[in-house]
Amino acid sequence: QLKDELRRVKAELESQQTLTSTAQACAVDLQQQLGNAAEAAVAKMEAEFAVEKATLNQEVRDARDAAAATAEKLKAMEAKCATSEAAAQWLQGSMSKLEGDLAEVKLKAAHSISRTMDLEAALEEHAARLDQANDESHKAHEQATALSERL
């Protein structure tokens, strides 16, 4: 009977050792998965930011180019129309149109700048969330380490 009890206790001890090894392996795997997920999230946000920033920068360049082209057209029209009254009246109408076009271009440029600022604010928010996720990952790592040590 004592031998049976000894065998039962030995079998239970081996079972607990197996469970401890499995729990430690799970803790290590969970830690790796958390690290990989955090890295993937950072890479995705950085890629999205880079694409949006490139798009906005291109919009700003396009708006500046359009403003410069409009200003050049305005100067060319002024030169052509400087010699006659009829030409002056035509120039006035064209200038009004170009000024309207220029105002529209300036509005688009202001909108692009506003979007850039919004994107920068969103990036800061993403960075804050990333810091928080990193802190949580560290806490999870510490908890997994503590659990592993306890086991």
Side-chain angles (χ1 to χ4, degrees):
Q1 215 177 28
L2 189 57
K3 285 183 180 182
D4 290 340
E5 182 65 22
L6 185 59
R7 283 187 202 119
R8 188 187 62 73
V9 168
K10 184 178 177 183
E12 188 175 319
L13 179 60
E14 289 174 357
S15 174
Q16 292 211 354
Q17 287 174 341
T18 301
L19 288 173
T20 299
S21 296
T22 302
Q24 287 174 339
C26 287
V28 168
D29 185 50
L30 178 61
Q31 183 180 4
Q32 289 174 343
Q33 288 179 11
L34 286 171
N36 292 345
E39 288 176 13
V42 168
K44 181 181 177 188
M45 286 188 293
E46 288 175 347
E48 290 172 352
F49 173 74
V51 168
E52 186 66 23
K53 185 176 180 181
T55 300
L56 291 173
N57 285 340
Q58 185 59 49
E59 288 176 6
V60 169
R61 283 191 295 274
D62 291 347
R64 285 180 186 154
D65 292 346
T70 300
E72 287 179 28
K73 286 178 186 177
L74 183 60
K75 287 179 185 178
M77 285 183 202
E78 286 175 345
K80 288 179 184 177
C81 298
T83 56
S84 74
E85 184 62 28
Q89 289 175 356
W90 175 83
L91 177 62
Q92 186 174 359
S94 295
M95 284 177 50
S96 294
K97 183 185 180 309
L98 286 175
E99 287 171 354
D101 291 348
L102 185 58
E104 183 178 332
V105 167
K106 286 180 180 180
L107 182 63
K108 286 180 182 177
H111 177 68
S112 293
I113 290 168
S114 174
R115 284 184 56 201
T116 299
M117 291 171 65
D118 290 346
L119 183 60
E120 289 174 352
L123 179 62
E124 289 177 12
E125 182 179 323
H126 283 311
R129 279 193 257 149
L130 179 60
D131 287 344
Q132 182 182 4
N134 193 23
D135 289 345
E136 290 173 7
S137 175
H138 284 299
K139 287 179 186 175
H141 171 70
E142 290 171 3
Q143 290 174 349
T145 301
L147 176 62
S148 178
E149 288 174 358
R150 279 191 272 150
L151 293 176

